[in-house]
Amino acid sequence: MSEQLGDAKRASNSFVTVSDGTQIFFKDWGTGQPLFFHHGWPLSADDWDAQMMFFLKQGYRVIAHDRRGHGRSTQTDKGHDMDTYAADVAAVVEALDLKNAIHIGHSTGGGEVTRYVARHGKGRVAKAVLISAIPPLFMKTDKNPDGVPKEVVDSIRDGTANHRSQFYKDVTIPFYGFNRPGANVSEGIRENWWRQGMMGSILAHYECVRVLSETEFYDDLAVIDVPVLVMHGEDDQICPFPTTGAVSWKLLKHGTLKSYPGLPHGMPTTHADLINADLLAFIKAS
């Protein structure tokens, strides 16, 4: 990974090329303290539109990337593991020379933030935020007996591999809580999720299901020494709150939990005003 960081170079205003030749797409807007946003599976930097616009207007420098194989980044068959995801982030951070940054991750992106801050963040990271995130462990195991059952994970693999387009339309319903009584269903939000998903590589998305479901973050959480805000909807149907957010914050040295009754996995989009306000308060807090 050190070789990957050392060989990283700024390819253009929109890409960083890492040592294995993969090009990582990024957006970099504004000036001020950097906020680096990490998207969830199987999406892209575009999933942070509501946050990028808000915090740009608040005077922050906002950065978001497309994970390898996702969005506009290279559709490579290599490096689909959490260590490489984190190293790719470190390469972008180094190329942009980001310091005093706040890293904010949603879902799988929360796992990426956790691994990046734990392994690469020393001296560059001020704070971190995990939103609806997968740590400490997504799938049910002996260590995590109340996690998501393997058969559910296998159904995600099957949907991705065999009928991705329809599956990506269907998954938006629980993702945003649109199956709950009284939900205000937005077809635009659903179509934008589908659009982002279909931009990426089916192989990368298939492999990422293994990464997001099987990667353990217990040790990463324990070594992080900066303040971390854990934000989680209590009605999250993708990353169930009792086994993810409710556990993660207790494993952090400087963790704070903010849970939201009735809110879904995709709350940064469905409840952007609320989430942005709480993010801003945490970012500004001394």
Side-chain angles (χ1 to χ4, degrees):
M1 281 184 287
S2 60
E3 179 186 356
Q4 182 169 15
L5 300 186
D7 289 349
K9 58 183 182 294
R10 185 84 172 266
S12 70
N13 287 332
S14 299
F15 290 91
V16 166
T17 303
V18 299
S19 63
D20 69 359
T22 300
Q23 289 194 313
I24 304 297
F25 173 86
F26 69 92
K27 306 176 186 182
D28 180 8
W29 305 340
T31 58
Q33 184 177 19
L35 309 182
F36 196 123
F37 294 93
H38 305 241
H39 66 81
W41 175 93
L43 304 173
S44 73
D46 296 353
D47 200 44
W48 292 107
D49 283 354
Q51 285 68 46
M52 297 277 283
M53 292 291 284
F54 175 82
F55 285 101
L56 181 65
K57 291 177 182 177
Q58 294 292 325
Y60 292 92
R61 180 180 178 184
V62 292
I63 302 104
H65 74 309
D66 291 352
R67 187 170 301 114
R68 63 171 50 216
H70 295 62
R72 290 140 291 207
S73 291
T74 303
Q75 292 200 8
T76 178
D77 63 345
K78 299 175 288 188
H80 300 296
D81 59 83
M82 192 58 69
D83 287 351
T84 304
Y85 293 168
D88 289 344
V89 171
V92 176
V93 167
E94 183 176 284
L96 300 181
D97 194 25
L98 303 180
K99 297 183 176 71
N100 195 37
I102 297 175
H103 286 261
I104 302 163
H106 176 253
S107 196
T108 301
E112 185 177 89
V113 167
T114 302
R115 182 62 51 88
Y116 165 75
V117 175
R119 301 219 177 157
H120 304 281
K122 193 168 184 63
R124 288 189 179 271
V125 175
K127 296 179 181 180
V129 183
L130 310 180
I131 306 177
S132 310
I134 58 173
L137 177 59
F138 182 84
M139 192 167 70
K140 180 179 180 179
T141 65
D142 290 343
K143 191 172 185 177
N144 186 36
D146 297 319
V148 175
K150 183 178 183 296
E151 52 265 33
V152 174
V153 175
D154 287 342
S155 73
I156 299 171
R157 288 193 180 98
D158 174 71
T160 302
N162 297 312
H163 45 98
R164 183 169 68 139
S165 183
Q166 186 60 52
F167 179 65
Y168 283 6
K169 286 184 178 292
D170 295 343
V171 78
T172 59
I173 296 296
F175 193 98
Y176 292 111
F178 289 157
N179 55 347
R180 296 310 196 208
N184 181 22
V185 179
S186 167
E187 291 302 321
I189 288 175
R190 295 186 66 202
E191 290 170 9
N192 190 44
W193 199 103
W194 179 89
R195 175 191 68 84
Q196 291 179 72
M198 296 304 294
M199 285 169 64
S201 158
I202 187 171
L203 174 62
H205 293 171
Y206 180 84
E207 293 294 337
C208 190
V209 176
R210 168 183 47 79
V211 180
L212 72 88
S213 63
E214 298 180 14
T215 305
E216 294 190 11
F217 298 95
Y218 296 97
D219 293 342
D220 303 275
L221 292 164
V223 301
I224 292 173
D225 58 6
V226 298
V228 181
L229 175 63
V230 175
M231 308 171 77
H232 217 109
E234 294 179 16
D235 192 32
D236 190 325
Q237 298 174 67
I238 308 298
C239 292
F241 171 65
T243 59
T244 53
V247 178
S248 284
W249 80 279
K250 297 176 182 178
L251 302 175
L252 291 156
K253 294 178 183 176
H254 308 289
T256 302
L257 174 66
K258 191 165 186 62
S259 64
Y260 299 84
L263 264 58
H265 187 66
M267 64 185 186
T269 298
T270 59
H271 296 77
D273 289 349
L274 173 60
I275 300 305
N276 289 349
D278 289 345
L279 275 173
L280 183 61
F282 174 71
I283 289 167
K284 286 187 169 182
S286 57

